[in-house]
Amino acid sequence: MFVYFTADWCLTCKVNEKAAIDTAGVRDAFAQHKVAALIGDWTDGDPVMGRFIQAHNRAGVPLYLYYAPGAAEPTVLPQVLTTGLLEGLGA
């Protein structure tokens, strides 16, 4: 599972979404490897979501997590994503 936290006002988030996340190659790779994607929208600054983000050593968004099958904890991905990184998840 790929979980990402974003906000409408986050420029880095929007660039990652356009350039890496929302691409045909990543959609195909996620489908092939059965990687589900979940989005957490922190636009309104929900305090519960904020505490979750802080628990993963981030002061804010973006936060990208990959939960590998059977893993107890997620892998925290870098704040700047590439299609190659995302296409390799689940492989």
Side-chain angles (χ1 to χ4, degrees):
M1 182 175 305
F2 173 67
V3 180
Y4 69 97
F5 294 85
T6 185
D8 287 346
W9 43 262
C10 174
L11 181 59
T12 303
C13 301
K14 296 304 167 194
V15 170
N16 283 331
E17 289 165 16
K18 196 67 147 172
I21 298 170
D22 192 20
T23 64
V26 169
R27 282 192 299 275
D28 292 346
F30 279 16
Q32 178 183 2
H33 300 295
K34 298 182 175 134
V35 175
L38 298 176
I39 304 167
D41 185 350
W42 200 48
T43 299
D44 294 330
D46 178 271
V48 173
M49 195 175 294
R51 286 189 294 276
F52 182 86
I53 292 167
Q54 287 177 339
H56 290 86
N57 297 317
R58 292 285 200 269
V61 292
L63 171 64
Y64 304 105
L65 304 171
Y66 175 63
Y67 290 83
E73 296 292 325
T75 300
V76 178
L77 301 176
Q79 290 181 310
V80 176
L81 300 175
T82 65
T83 55
L85 172 72
L86 294 178
E87 288 171 359
L89 296 178

